[in-house]
Amino acid sequence: MKLEILVVAISIIIFASFCAGLTPVKNQVDRRNFLSIVTTTSAPLIVGISSPAFAIDGIFKNQEIYQPPINSQSGKVHLITGGSSGLGLESSKRIAAAGGTVILTTRTESKGINAIQQVQDYLATKNIENSKVYYLTLNLDEFSSIQSFPERFNLLLPNTKIDVIMNNAGVAAIPQREVTKDGFERTFQSNHLGPFMLTSLLFPYLNRDGARIINVSSRAHGYAGDLDLNDLNNEKYTSAGWSAYSKSKLENILFTQELQKRADANGLDWLASYSLHPGVVGTDIWRSTPLVQKTNSLTSNIFYNNMLTVEEGSNTQIYLATMDSKYLKKGAYYDEHGKIPKLEKFAIDPVKATGLWKISEQMAGIDFSLTQ
């Protein structure tokens, strides 16, 4: 607790200094960011949080909620993973309000039923009717669940083509290293290998008149540094935590770039892939962190009070899923303001992106061919 108090005190001092107009030194975040500390079981990690207190020029202004026009998504089919809460549920609500057919995924049937009810309650507040909102169970921690998903999707909506796959589900900062039934470190499988496999298996179901793959990444990818292709499964760490999380978010970006490169090489003009940082959002993805588990602590309150709301944090992925593609750049990484920031060299490394793809195929036991 003393460490937490010290960390918060330092954060408040830094925050106050930025507000007072002091010039940050090189490699620090700028005045538009707030430094907050998220503790793991081993050590604190400084994370740059986009604070609602500071506006910057971009597509989204502070506290502005991007809502696609009503009926603009009519006839479009959106598959959104992790739809029981947070960004996935919010995305489902607003895309459904725009007339889209939404299939949200949840880990359990009870969560799916509850999520559908929340979407319908939201639509009712808008006086909008849309019965084309469904759920399917999906556990990215189990290959068997992923492998059965295409057939279950086809049973739910026979002969239906998917316009958007939003790979939104994921985990963050698991305190101790966990291994899935398939033998992979859980963060790696939940955040990268599972979505990679799912996207491959659903590739035949994509709409050849225009389809998008949206991978929810994070600015935390910057903490990963150069990706070690020999340790994708995080064997070198007894505790996964933030190291595994930041690596998985880098993998999301590299996967997006490699997918677009392969689509372009195969003349698939109809396919577009995007990755994004939604901002640091107050969702339950942080539930595994000791800091947030102490819900009444000073640090937890400061942490959440300086985060974006779920409504704000959903803006970019909803924008990428619904905006006219002529306004978007294929293969790009977008930030929480709908802008394309400059990435570090390790986040645009084509050799690592190709290597990640090939090793992921081997690990998942699939051939992700874009000639299907």
Side-chain angles (χ1 to χ4, degrees), residues 199 203 213 215 254-264 271-274 357 368 370:
T199 304
F203 190 82
I213 308 299
N215 297 314
L254 294 176
F255 167 42
T256 299
Q257 295 167 359
E258 183 68 12
L259 176 59
Q260 192 62 60
K261 183 178 76 172
R262 290 174 179 243
D264 294 344
L271 181 62
S273 63
Y274 312 101
W357 183 286
F368 193 163
L370 271 63

XYZ file of all heavy atoms in Angstrom, residues 199 203 213 215 254-264 271-274 357 368 370:
192
model
N -9.987 -15.631 -37.530
C -10.033 -14.882 -38.783
C -9.762 -15.792 -39.969
O -10.424 -15.688 -41.013
C -9.008 -13.731 -38.759
O -9.256 -12.900 -37.614
C -9.102 -12.888 -40.015
N -12.460 -16.779 -42.982
C -12.119 -16.114 -44.238
C -13.058 -16.494 -45.376
O -13.469 -15.627 -46.161
C -10.667 -16.433 -44.621
C -10.151 -15.599 -45.760
C -9.677 -14.319 -45.544
C -10.165 -16.094 -47.061
C -9.216 -13.533 -46.595
C -9.702 -15.330 -48.119
C -9.227 -14.045 -47.886
N -11.333 -6.423 -41.502
C -10.858 -7.070 -40.282
C -10.324 -5.970 -39.387
O -9.414 -5.225 -39.775
C -9.747 -8.089 -40.561
C -10.169 -9.083 -41.648
C -9.361 -8.803 -39.270
C -11.387 -9.904 -41.308
N -8.641 -5.172 -35.738
C -7.957 -5.751 -34.587
C -7.720 -4.681 -33.522
O -7.005 -3.700 -33.768
C -6.622 -6.362 -35.017
C -6.808 -7.516 -35.988
O -7.644 -8.392 -35.775
N -6.045 -7.525 -37.076
N 1.192 -6.189 -36.166
C 1.949 -6.891 -37.202
C 1.045 -7.835 -37.994
O 1.195 -7.983 -39.215
C 3.104 -7.655 -36.575
C 4.198 -6.798 -35.925
C 5.236 -7.681 -35.240
C 4.866 -5.886 -36.951
N 0.107 -8.479 -37.329
C -0.867 -9.348 -38.005
C -1.690 -8.538 -38.998
O -1.915 -8.949 -40.144
C -1.762 -10.022 -36.961
C -2.991 -10.686 -37.535
C -2.937 -11.432 -38.709
C -4.215 -10.569 -36.885
C -4.081 -12.056 -39.228
C -5.353 -11.173 -37.389
C -5.284 -11.916 -38.566
N -2.136 -7.371 -38.578
C -2.927 -6.491 -39.443
C -2.149 -6.115 -40.699
O -2.673 -6.175 -41.819
C -3.323 -5.216 -38.678
O -4.119 -5.572 -37.541
C -4.096 -4.256 -39.570
N -0.901 -5.732 -40.515
C -0.072 -5.313 -41.655
C 0.199 -6.475 -42.610
O 0.127 -6.322 -43.830
C 1.246 -4.738 -41.138
C 1.081 -3.459 -40.347
C 2.333 -3.055 -39.587
O 3.351 -3.747 -39.634
N 2.271 -1.945 -38.875
N 0.508 -7.645 -42.063
C 0.796 -8.803 -42.900
C -0.457 -9.271 -43.640
O -0.382 -9.670 -44.816
C 1.359 -9.943 -42.042
C 1.765 -11.181 -42.823
C 2.982 -10.973 -43.720
O 3.655 -9.927 -43.581
O 3.259 -11.868 -44.547
N -1.593 -9.220 -42.970
C -2.852 -9.584 -43.617
C -3.126 -8.679 -44.804
O -3.500 -9.150 -45.889
C -4.004 -9.493 -42.609
C -5.415 -9.741 -43.152
C -5.534 -11.121 -43.780
C -6.443 -9.571 -42.033
N -2.911 -7.372 -44.627
C -3.151 -6.438 -45.728
C -2.143 -6.648 -46.851
O -2.511 -6.594 -48.036
C -3.080 -4.996 -45.217
C -3.598 -3.984 -46.214
C -5.074 -4.222 -46.532
O -5.921 -4.179 -45.646
N -5.380 -4.487 -47.792
N -0.896 -6.918 -46.494
C 0.128 -7.147 -47.516
C -0.217 -8.368 -48.363
O -0.108 -8.333 -49.604
C 1.494 -7.346 -46.852
C 2.635 -7.510 -47.863
C 3.973 -7.666 -47.174
C 4.140 -9.066 -46.596
N 5.531 -9.277 -46.078
N -0.670 -9.416 -47.734
C -1.021 -10.636 -48.455
C -2.291 -10.439 -49.288
O -2.405 -10.988 -50.394
C -1.181 -11.796 -47.474
C 0.150 -12.229 -46.862
C -0.009 -13.289 -45.781
N 1.307 -13.669 -45.271
C 1.837 -14.893 -45.382
N 1.164 -15.867 -45.991
N 3.041 -15.151 -44.894
N -3.229 -9.677 -48.754
C -4.445 -9.394 -49.518
C -4.109 -8.603 -50.778
O -4.600 -8.908 -51.873
C -5.430 -8.615 -48.653
N -3.262 -7.602 -50.626
C -2.863 -6.783 -51.781
C -2.095 -7.618 -52.803
O -2.296 -7.482 -54.013
C -1.999 -5.609 -51.311
C -2.772 -4.618 -50.448
O -4.018 -4.665 -50.452
O -2.128 -3.809 -49.757
N -10.711 -6.603 -49.547
C -10.371 -6.816 -48.140
C -9.540 -5.671 -47.578
O -8.561 -5.242 -48.184
C -9.590 -8.126 -47.989
C -9.187 -8.498 -46.555
C -10.423 -8.693 -45.683
C -8.335 -9.767 -46.550
N -9.944 -5.206 -46.412
C -9.203 -4.152 -45.715
C -9.007 -4.564 -44.265
O -9.908 -5.122 -43.633
C -9.947 -2.822 -45.786
N -7.827 -4.320 -43.735
C -7.555 -4.619 -42.333
C -7.059 -3.366 -41.629
O -6.343 -2.555 -42.216
C -6.518 -5.747 -42.211
O -5.281 -5.363 -42.774
N -7.447 -3.220 -40.373
C -7.059 -2.066 -39.570
C -6.767 -2.522 -38.141
O -7.364 -3.475 -37.641
C -8.177 -1.015 -39.521
C -8.778 -0.663 -40.853
C -10.000 -1.204 -41.253
C -8.131 0.208 -41.726
C -10.561 -0.883 -42.483
C -8.684 0.533 -42.964
C -9.904 -0.016 -43.337
O -10.447 0.281 -44.558
N 3.332 -14.514 -38.757
C 2.255 -15.178 -39.497
C 2.561 -16.672 -39.644
O 1.719 -17.526 -39.350
C 2.105 -14.535 -40.864
C 0.989 -15.065 -41.717
C 0.949 -16.264 -42.369
C -0.247 -14.412 -42.019
N -0.228 -16.397 -43.066
C -0.985 -15.283 -42.866
C -0.789 -13.169 -41.672
C -2.252 -14.932 -43.366
C -2.047 -12.842 -42.168
C -2.766 -13.713 -42.998
N -3.399 -20.473 -43.274
C -4.182 -19.246 -43.486
C -3.876 -18.744 -44.897
O -3.052 -17.866 -45.109
C -3.819 -18.210 -42.443
C -4.779 -17.032 -42.373
C -4.798 -16.204 -41.265
C -5.664 -16.749 -43.409
C -5.664 -15.124 -41.174
C -6.539 -15.679 -43.339
C -6.539 -14.864 -42.225
N -4.976 -16.893 -48.346
C -5.902 -15.878 -48.827
C -6.372 -16.162 -50.255
O -6.952 -15.308 -50.907
C -5.252 -14.483 -48.775
C -5.428 -13.729 -47.447
C -4.755 -14.482 -46.309
C -4.885 -12.319 -47.536
